[in-house]
């Protein structure tokens, strides 16, 4: 609930702040620069967040991130009008860093909060909450700003972060695995000046790299997510252009239909995955389901822009939403199967890679749409994701991977022993 409330505030302000920036600066370039600064901060902070969540208490990091964003919103509200323009870019850095840190910390903590066997159900609940928050945030942003103004929208965002922080502080949750004895990999922090401290840090870092080398499918999955970000940016940029061409008098109609239908499909699939995993100890979607879902998702997005009747395009949006929900659950749950000592760095790397793909895709899509039709641009960038998914199938076949039973996922916690020994 706390995560859903803070997500609602974030989606609300994603609309309200962009309009607010344009009103304060009277410059489209300034609004674009705000988004660029926030995205670049998210890319860089992914690597930093991975280190932080591996070294410090994740619950405190999440609470600190929420409170920092709350205070940043309050500072914007009480700042004099003359100083708001500059403060907006500080806000972009703060929200970009804190949102990434909070996301990496939460995803890394799920197996410890609910147990490895329940992580798929937990991920489906969190993803459903974020999807509902996105619908509510986007739908209410225009109404809140029009009826109550920007102060009310920014205040709602600040309050949402305060609620999230309060919920986290109230819950007696454990967010990190119980470490081995002092001086062992993943164990307690050695005393200052102790040689083992530097050695342990090197072991952890090397262990993360060796884990990716030892699990090439995991590395390919991260690459596919980067390509998904590339493709996602293409349909985000192309949607307004395509919708305007469909109905110049009502350019927002198709965009609204698309996102509403996509969200429905996304939520339905997330619930299906959660319920399926909760029956009879089933593991939930695995690596092959992720590859199939990513292929179907990209293909469905391409169909949306193919110029077919509206009913067919909306149906394709529904399929894309369902496939997107499947890949999200499968991907996050697979990364959470990694040992706790490496999990934070994996999610940090994933956040940076995904944001890099999305940001690069925004630039490429914007440039290509000046010269090519939306179908060609979306087909090209989502086609990259399809090619990588096919490469992932090759890797799966080559290494004889199978979707593992829950016992194998639990045994993966013991991987650090071999990884650390090789690192040493």
């Amino acid at each position: 609930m706390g995560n859903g409330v803070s997500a609602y505030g974030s989606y609300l302000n994603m609309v309200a702040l962009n309009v607010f920036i344009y009103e304060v600066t009277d410059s489209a370039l300034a609004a674009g620069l705000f988004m660029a600064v926030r995205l670049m901060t998210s890319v860089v902070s992914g690597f930093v967040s991975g280190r932080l969540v591996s070294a410090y208490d994740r619950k405190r990091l999440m609470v600190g991130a929420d409170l920092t964003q709350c205070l940043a919103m309050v500072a914007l509200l009480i700042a004099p009008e003359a100083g708001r323009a500059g403060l907006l870019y500080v806000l972009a850095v703060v929200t970009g860093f804190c949102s990434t840190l909070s996301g990496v910390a939460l995803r890394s903590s799920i197996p410890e909060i609910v147990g490895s066997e329940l992580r798929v159900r937990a991920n489906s609940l969190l993803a459903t909450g974020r999807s509902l928050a996105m619908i509510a945030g986007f739908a209410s942003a225009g109404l809140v700003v029009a009826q109550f103004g920007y102060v009310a929208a920014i205040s709602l965002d600040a309050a949402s972060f305060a609620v999230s922080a309060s919920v986290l502080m109230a819950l007696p949750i454990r967010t990190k695995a119980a470490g081995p004895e002092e001086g062992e990999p993943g164990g307690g922090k050695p005393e200052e000046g102790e040689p083992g401290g530097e050695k342990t840090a090197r072991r952890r870092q090397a262990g993360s790299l060796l884990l990716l080398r030892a699990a090439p499918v995991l590395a390919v999955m991260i690459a596919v997510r980067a390509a998904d970000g590339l493709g996602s940016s293409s349909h985000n940029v192309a949607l307004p252009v395509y919708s305007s061409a469909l109905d110049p008098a009502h350019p927002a109609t198709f965009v609204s239909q698309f996102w509403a239908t996509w969200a429905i499909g996304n939520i339905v699939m997330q619930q299906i995955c959660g319920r399926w995993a909760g029956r009879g100890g089933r593991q939930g979607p695995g690596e092959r389901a992720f590859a199939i879902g990513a292929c179907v998702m990209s293909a469905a997005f391409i169909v949306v822009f193919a110029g077919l009747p509206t009913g067919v395009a909306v149906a394709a949006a529904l399929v894309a939403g369902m496939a997107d929900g499947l890949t999200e659950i499968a991907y996050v749950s697979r990364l959470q199967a990694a040992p706790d000592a490496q999990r934070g760095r994996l999610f940090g790397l994933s956040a940076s890679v995904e944001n890099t793909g999305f940001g690069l895709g925004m630039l490429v899509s914007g440039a290509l749409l000046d010269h090519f039709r939306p179908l060609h641009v979306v087909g090209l960038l989502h086609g990259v994701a399809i090619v990588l998914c096919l490469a992932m199938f090759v890797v799966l076949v080559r290494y004889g991977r199978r979707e593992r039973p829950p016992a194998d996922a639990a045994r993966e916690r013991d991987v650090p022993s071999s990884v650390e020994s090789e690192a040493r």
Side-chain angles (χ1 to χ4, degrees), residues 111-254:
E112 310 309 326
I113 295 174
V114 301
S116 180
E117 68 283 356
L118 293 178
R119 69 183 190 276
V120 176
R121 294 183 65 187
N123 290 331
S124 70
L125 286 173
L126 286 171
T128 299
R130 287 194 299 271
S131 297
L132 293 172
M134 181 186 74
I135 297 171
F138 285 163
S140 64
L143 178 63
V144 171
V145 172
Q147 295 294 323
F148 305 104
Y150 296 106
V151 171
I154 297 172
S155 299
L156 271 176
D157 196 15
S160 72
F161 287 120
V163 169
S164 178
S166 300
V167 169
L168 281 168
M169 285 189 289
L171 292 175
I173 56 176
R174 187 188 74 180
T175 58
K176 296 195 76 170
E181 294 298 323
E182 195 85 9
E184 289 296 315
K189 183 178 179 181
E191 296 182 5
E192 190 173 351
E194 186 181 345
E198 185 178 351
K199 183 183 294 186
T200 299
R202 286 200 304 268
R203 288 175 182 172
R204 288 178 179 176
Q205 185 172 8
S208 300
L209 296 175
L210 288 170
L211 183 64
L212 283 178
R213 288 174 57 188
V217 173
L218 194 59
V220 175
M221 289 177 75
I222 294 175
V224 169
R225 289 295 286 187
D228 281 345
L230 198 69
S232 295
S233 62
S234 71
H235 66 249
N236 274 277
V237 175
L239 262 176
V241 179
Y242 184 71
S243 185
S244 297
L246 285 178
D247 188 356
H250 304 90
T253 300
F254 182 74

Side-chain angles (χ1 to χ4, degrees), residues 1-3 5-6 59 62-68 70 158-173:
M1 285 181 60
N3 185 249
V5 169
S6 66
K59 178 178 175 178
M62 288 187 283
V63 171
D66 283 338
L67 292 179
T68 301
C70 177
S160 72
F161 287 120
V163 169
S164 178
S166 300
V167 169
L168 281 168
M169 285 189 289
L171 292 175
I173 56 176

Side-chain angles (χ1 to χ4, degrees), residues 18-19 99 112 150 206-207 209 249 278 318 323-324 376 387 401:
N18 287 339
V19 181
S99 62
E112 310 309 326
Y150 296 106
L209 296 175
L318 180 69
D324 203 353
H376 298 152
V387 170
R401 295 296 295 254

Side-chain angles (χ1 to χ4, degrees), residues 38-60:
R38 193 180 190 281
L39 184 61
M40 287 301 298
T41 303
S42 298
V43 171
V44 175
S45 61
F47 297 105
V48 179
S49 298
R51 292 176 176 271
L52 289 175
V53 302
S54 297
Y56 300 101
D57 183 82
R58 293 166 185 163
K59 178 178 175 178
R60 293 182 180 179

Side-chain angles (χ1 to χ4, degrees), residues 48-110:
V48 179
S49 298
R51 292 176 176 271
L52 289 175
V53 302
S54 297
Y56 300 101
D57 183 82
R58 293 166 185 163
K59 178 178 175 178
R60 293 182 180 179
L61 289 174
M62 288 187 283
V63 171
D66 283 338
L67 292 179
T68 301
Q69 291 181 89
C70 177
L71 292 175
M73 297 297 171
V74 172
L76 180 64
L77 289 173
I78 65 177
E81 290 189 14
R84 282 181 177 175
L87 189 60
L88 285 168
Y89 296 106
V90 177
L91 182 66
V93 173
V94 170
T95 55
F97 176 80
C98 290
S99 62
T100 302
L101 174 61
S102 182
V104 170
L106 178 61
R107 288 181 168 188
S108 304
S109 303
I110 291 301

Side-chain angles (χ1 to χ4, degrees), residues 297-345:
M297 176 181 64
S298 292
F301 277 127
I302 294 172
V303 170
V304 168
F305 293 88
L308 299 172
T310 302
V312 178
V314 170
L318 180 69
V319 173
M322 295 183 72
D324 203 353
L326 174 66
T327 57
E328 170 74 10
I329 298 299
Y331 178 73
V332 172
S333 300
R334 177 62 186 87
L335 261 63
Q336 287 170 347
D340 185 65
Q342 281 81 39
R343 199 183 302 140
R345 292 180 183 272

